[in-house]
Amino acid sequence: MTAVLAIDQGTTGSRALIIGHDGRLLGSSYRELPQYFPSPGEVEHSAEEIWESVRVTIREALEKASLRADQLAGVGITNQRETTIVWDRHTGVPAGPAIVWQDRRTSARCESLRGTTDEALIRARTGLVVDPYFSATKIEWLLDRHPDWLSRAEAGDLIFGTVDSWLVYRLTGGRVHATDHTNASRTLLYSLDAQAWDPDLCSLFGVPAAMLPEVRSSAGDYGVTDPEVFGAEVPVAGVVGDQQAALYGQGAWSADTAKATYGTGAFVLLHTGDTRRSAADGVLTTAACGPRGEFAYAFEGSILIAGAAIQWLRDGLGLIEDAAESEAMARAVADSGGVYFVPAFAGLGTPWWEPRARGTVVGLTRGTQREHLVRATLEAMAYSTRDVLDAMTEGRPDSIDSLRVDGGATRNAWLMQFQADVLGVPVHVPSAAELTALGAAGLAGLQTGFWSAPEQFLPARGEDRVFEPDAESRSAAEAGRAGWGRALATARYWAAGVRGDE
């Protein structure tokens, strides 16, 4: 066999990559995926458009690599997590739109659970906080609004899955309904300690067990592709949520290694090994992968808006024409001019978990230029990452030896240096951009024997560019955190007013 196929299905697009035995990228394809916003705070995808984008990119990637499907050793899938799809087990027809992880329509339901014994149960069993981000309240919302769905779900005729399950189902011609432990751990329905669906949580949210996928190892047997769909029977052998895939693709599969991925949002994971550690308030505990895809634990911090804020500067305000301009604009001013931007368009994530917060800009004066706002947007990514690592490490982000990073924003050298200065630890940027896909490919390649050891696919990361903290710049960055803290307090005060607390 010549290569492994990695499918990377994300919030804004789908990508397929063909990776050879030596880690070289042999071919790739990308298709944007439209998002739909039916009401404020609501975000949807079409499940059929997700599948079509994946199908097209697979075909194009194989063509670019000059390979046939039967030359593939296996298929690995990585995906946007928490996004909720319900479909008919027998026909494969989606029952309605996919509700995206960013969607906030269940904020009131989550608010009703806070401070209750149910919230304590959820935290203890799942390692998560109660937030619309996760899948369970989305499923509950759908079943509540479509009463006729419940009997079909109880019979197992109407089934649920995150995007990985949907793709496994379609790739195998409807023969396999399964997920892996990393995706299951993002639903509010999965017990980290039991490593199984939790009946008490299913009862709490009214989710019939019959509609849930079987949970398998991230490097495992997910059947084979349907020749009529795929052109050949190829093992589907790796399934992993996108952030855990990036952690794995960075080679961070042992305790106290950390990574940050800057995408639509930004996500920080700190591997904690094969033993569950106590997490600080607001820090998530989630399933991750050991060296061969086995179950492990990690702390996770979620920054709900990161790269999406740069897109807003471009598409919403017209301040930049291209994301790449942001680096030159940040360098064009000595500082942010006292401007701070909290891009809480979809609420605040770790460690605050305030779904009612909204984007907040403070410190504007008549002297404020667009460069100041652009720089403040970049600074927000770095400050938010520091907030997350502070919560994970009890205020000692320098207790980790480095931060491994990936995602589109890593092309911005100014931001990477500022991130190192804010954290006080080196930031490692691999030359390869697709670390998420590499993680999925690595798991599938190990499961099929294409690679015999995880170190064999790591050369695909390329050489790291290392940004070391600068003492002088670090002092200025640290001083700026005081203003950032006040801006956060302003955003949270606004949210308290929306709730009626003030």
Side-chain angles (χ1 to χ4, degrees), residues 130-459:
V130 176
D131 192 83
Y133 179 26
F134 305 107
S135 308
T137 59
K138 295 177 171 67
I139 308 170
E140 181 185 45
W141 186 91
L142 287 167
L143 293 176
D144 283 349
R145 278 151 184 77
H146 302 278
D148 57 312
W149 287 15
L150 183 59
S151 60
R152 296 172 62 198
E154 290 173 336
D157 295 328
L158 201 64
I159 56 179
F160 150 77
T162 42
V163 170
D164 59 302
S165 296
W166 170 243
L167 295 180
V168 167
Y169 177 92
R170 295 303 297 260
L171 285 166
T172 61
R175 292 190 294 273
V176 179
H177 180 218
T179 188
D180 85 305
H181 56 259
T182 67
N183 281 292
S185 74
R186 311 298 296 181
T187 61
L188 290 182
L189 299 172
Y190 183 80
S191 168
L192 285 177
D193 293 334
Q195 296 178 27
W197 298 118
D198 189 283
D200 295 329
L201 296 177
C202 289
S203 176
L204 173 63
F205 291 106
V207 177
M211 74 183 306
L212 298 175
E214 180 185 349
V215 182
R216 303 181 181 181
S217 174
S218 296
D221 179 4
Y222 291 82
V224 297
T225 57
D226 185 337
E228 292 188 9
V229 173
F230 199 74
E233 289 191 345
V234 180
V236 181
V239 172
V240 60
D242 55 6
Q243 301 311 317
Q244 290 94 335
L247 186 72
Y248 191 79
Q250 288 276 19
W253 47 60
S254 58
D256 299 315
T257 50
K259 74 89 193 175
T261 297
Y262 306 91
T264 302
F267 300 88
V268 183
L269 267 71
L270 175 65
H271 203 292
T272 58
D274 57 7
T275 301
R276 183 176 176 180
R277 298 181 188 173
S278 296
D281 289 345
V283 173
L284 309 181
T285 303
T286 195
C289 295
R292 302 193 69 87
E294 64 270 31
F295 188 100
Y297 295 94
F299 289 153
E300 176 167 338
S302 304
I303 301 160
L304 302 182
I305 296 292
I310 299 295
Q311 292 175 328
W312 176 70
L313 295 179
R314 182 192 66 193
D315 303 334
L317 299 185
L319 295 185
I320 57 175
E321 293 184 1
D322 186 87
E325 287 182 52
S326 62
E327 179 173 351
M329 293 179 75
R331 295 185 187 277
V333 288
D335 51 40
S336 67
V339 175
Y340 292 90
F341 174 30
V342 182
F345 299 144
L348 290 170
T350 307
W352 317 111
W353 294 107
E354 177 47 83
R356 298 181 192 272
R358 290 296 177 263
T360 303
V361 182
V362 300
L364 296 175
T365 70
R366 282 292 302 272
T368 300
Q369 303 170 11
R370 61 177 185 150
E371 288 84 358
H372 293 125
L373 185 55
V374 170
R375 179 162 172 153
T377 304
L378 295 174
E379 288 183 353
M381 292 190 211
Y383 286 136
S384 297
T385 302
R386 168 66 186 267
D387 290 342
V388 170
L389 279 167
D390 272 356
M392 289 179 175
T393 62
E394 299 180 342
R396 293 192 59 246
D398 56 353
S399 63
I400 61 172
D401 62 0
S402 65
L403 181 68
R404 309 176 194 196
V405 298
D406 60 274
T410 61
R411 293 191 289 270
N412 187 318
W414 182 89
L415 173 60
M416 293 299 97
Q417 183 61 56
F418 189 75
Q419 185 72 86
D421 295 337
V422 168
L423 292 175
V425 299
V427 170
H428 288 250
V429 183
S431 58
E434 306 304 334
L435 274 298
T436 303
L438 178 61
L443 290 164
L446 286 169
Q447 172 65 17
T448 59
F450 186 69
W451 290 300
S452 60
E455 293 79 11
Q456 290 182 337
F457 67 83
L458 282 184

Side-chain angles (χ1 to χ4, degrees), residues 113 115-122:
L113 289 166
T116 67
T117 56
D118 288 333
E119 181 186 33
L121 174 70
I122 291 166

